[in-house]
Amino acid sequence: MTEDRSLDDFAEAAAGDGDAARTGSDAEPDPVDPDGAKPDSGDLDGAADADPAVATSTWHADGAACDRCGERVHRRWREADAFVCADCASW
Ligand SMILES: [Zn+2]
């Protein structure tokens, strides 16, 4: 009687392994796509680091006239296409 039970258990175990192998092979192709998308987010981080250091002010050793009020100043700030003194700059 004991031998009959062991045979039944062996048969069930073999069938179970067959099902597990099928589901495993089906699940493998899916994870490939998410991994491929990750490098794109890394490029975005690199662009943030490349933030351009825009020169917002210029220094003139001999002084330069403000484009708005005409006052002669050593340092002017960029306002759109004009360079203005500290009083005319919109902070
Ligand atoms: Zn000015």
Side-chain angles (χ1 to χ4, degrees):
M1 298 298 282
T2 309
E3 291 180 357
D4 289 343
R5 284 187 180 178
S6 64
L7 287 176
D8 288 344
D9 290 346
F10 183 82
E12 289 179 2
D17 288 344
D19 290 343
R22 288 180 185 174
T23 53
S25 63
D26 288 345
E28 284 184 8
D30 291 337
V32 175
D33 290 340
D35 288 344
K38 285 182 180 179
D40 290 342
S41 61
D43 290 342
L44 292 178
D45 290 342
D49 289 343
D51 190 282
V54 179
T56 56
S57 66
T58 57
W59 172 263
H60 305 276
D62 294 337
C66 169
D67 288 341
R68 196 154 300 175
C69 70
E71 182 179 357
R72 193 174 187 84
V73 294
H74 290 291
R75 189 164 201 167
R76 297 187 305 176
W77 276 262
R78 189 187 192 99
E79 284 278 306
D81 292 339
F83 288 95
V84 299
C85 67
D87 292 339
C88 293
S90 59
W91 302 105

